[in-house]
Amino acid sequence: FVIFTDHGNGTRPPDRPRYLSGVLCLDGVEISTRGGHYIAVGLREAAPYPLGGDAEGVVADVRRLGGFGVVAHPFSPKKELRWTDWSLNIDGVEWLNGDNQWRDESWPELFLAATRYAVRPSPALATLLDRPETSIRQWDATASASIVGLGGMDAHAWNQGGRVAEALPSYEEVFRTFAIRAELDRPWTGRAEVDAKAILHALRGGRTFTAIDALGSPVEFTYTGVADGLTIAMGGRVSEDVDMTLRATAIGPPGTKILLFADGQHVKTTTESELSYAVKGQTGGYRVEVRLPTSDSNQTFPWIMGNPIYVGSASRFIS
């Protein structure tokens, strides 16, 4: 599936979901506010007035109109694009933003990546990926608020005389670099409206993970909790008086690490294909990331980034 989020003010009625060449296409919008950019997906209708200006008002309006709101490029190298108020009732955040990744590279690094791109495009793009520590740290700091973490392509092309210009890097190679996986309750029906609701339900519930396909593919990953005989999916929450066992599995080459974090604090690592951890009254957001063995200097960039499973009541606070 692909979600299109061109810049706008929400006054254009959202296009209905549809399948194009077998790909489910959803229409969203990226809204500029004085406190950063906010993506809205799943709006029920067009806004009755232009959305923009005050970030608090935009977040409230997106929620009122039934949308799922995501903070875009929260710590952009461009100061004017950064998100400024983490006390707002946001739904999601881009822990990874593709457009941000090249902006902090040196010209020699960009030139080398461009040379490699001619031979192996998506692996060349992967060489520009640096762990976005600040974004991950902020996401972890607000973990108890059930904020969904997503990877955003932020791919761009330009309209020239009614035709879309050829993008460089191409959309195809950008999509091959990393992608969001959504866990659905049932298989696709082939009906766009029905399947779009299923995707939005998974996104809202945090039943998603981001996989860097250019580092390794195919991706096989599961992360669940078991409490009182019930299976808890990513994004799920249990009370602090419930004992739960967390289980994560990932299939990768020898040396692949599965790491578990609680509110950003590392609690366990295994190089086996399955990680298991018993939670007994320890509140927090427990997320899993998987790292591939590499000789590269950036050994902490995740191959797979899952969303947390939560223990205890939700709360909102400023980090």
Side-chain angles (χ1 to χ4, degrees):
F1 67 96
V2 178
I3 300 176
F4 297 91
T5 56
D6 284 332
H7 281 272
N9 58 19
T11 56
R12 177 181 62 80
D15 292 338
R16 295 178 63 181
R18 58 177 173 162
Y19 275 101
L20 293 174
S21 301
V23 178
L24 179 63
C25 298
L26 288 79
D27 188 25
V29 60
E30 184 172 343
I31 303 164
S32 298
T33 81
R34 289 191 293 270
H37 290 183
Y38 199 57
I39 292 169
V41 185
L43 296 175
R44 290 190 299 264
E45 57 190 291
Y49 47 82
L51 303 183
D54 177 59
E56 182 176 8
V58 169
V59 169
D61 284 336
V62 168
R63 184 169 291 250
R64 179 176 55 81
L65 292 168
F68 172 72
V70 180
V71 171
H73 43 70
F75 294 96
S76 171
K78 301 179 70 172
K79 188 176 181 180
E80 64 272 20
L81 301 181
R82 297 174 190 168
W83 191 254
T84 59
D85 192 346
W86 293 97
S87 67
L88 300 180
N89 198 25
I90 64 175
D91 299 313
V93 62
E94 288 183 341
W95 74 267
L96 173 63
N97 178 276
D99 187 59
N100 281 1
Q101 287 294 312
W102 68 267
R103 292 184 182 274
D104 62 354
E105 304 296 327
S106 67
W107 283 110
E109 289 171 324
L110 291 173
F111 178 78
L112 182 58
T115 302
R116 292 170 171 167
Y117 182 87
V119 181
R120 301 182 67 209
S122 56
L125 295 178
T127 65
L128 300 177
L129 297 177
D130 299 310
R131 185 179 179 86
E133 288 287 2
T134 309
S135 297
I136 295 174
R137 194 180 309 119
Q138 180 62 56
W139 178 32
D140 284 333
T142 53
S144 63
S146 295
I147 294 173
V148 180
L150 301 164
M153 297 292 181
D154 210 346
H156 293 79
W158 292 267
N159 189 310
Q160 294 180 339
R163 297 181 61 187
V164 176
E166 183 70 25
L168 187 67
S170 72
Y171 282 151
E172 181 176 357
E173 296 306 334
V174 169
F175 291 161
R176 290 180 188 274
T177 305
F178 67 89
I180 296 170
R181 266 67 163 184
E183 296 182 345
L184 306 181
D185 294 325
R186 58 186 63 86
W188 291 125
T189 66
R191 301 193 299 275
E193 296 279 356
V194 174
D195 294 344
K197 288 180 179 178
I199 283 290
L200 287 170
H201 180 69
L203 291 177
R204 291 178 190 274
R207 294 176 58 185
T208 71
F209 63 91
T210 307
I212 316 302
D213 298 282
L215 297 181
S217 188
V219 175
E220 295 184 35
F221 173 73
T222 62
Y223 176 43
T224 59
V226 178
D228 293 336
L230 299 175
T231 299
I232 313 299
M234 277 187 296
R237 183 179 294 274
V238 300
S239 64
E240 55 213 63
D241 58 351
V242 173
D243 291 345
M244 177 172 59
T245 299
L246 298 171
R247 291 196 178 94
T249 63
I251 307 301
T256 298
K257 294 180 181 179
I258 306 176
L259 299 93
L260 179 67
F261 296 84
D263 289 349
Q265 300 300 311
H266 175 240
V267 293
K268 187 172 182 179
T269 296
T270 183
T271 54
E272 302 294 326
S273 60
E274 178 175 317
L275 178 146
S276 180
Y277 184 80
V279 179
K280 298 180 182 293
Q282 303 156 287
T283 62
Y286 291 80
R287 68 166 176 83
V288 166
E289 62 181 78
V290 183
R291 299 175 189 170
L292 290 173
T294 176
S295 58
D296 190 271
S297 58
N298 185 10
Q299 298 184 35
T300 62
F301 197 91
W303 174 37
I304 301 167
M305 178 71 85
N307 266 283
I309 294 173
Y310 304 95
V311 178
S313 59
S315 62
R316 290 194 174 271
F317 53 88
I318 301 175
S319 171

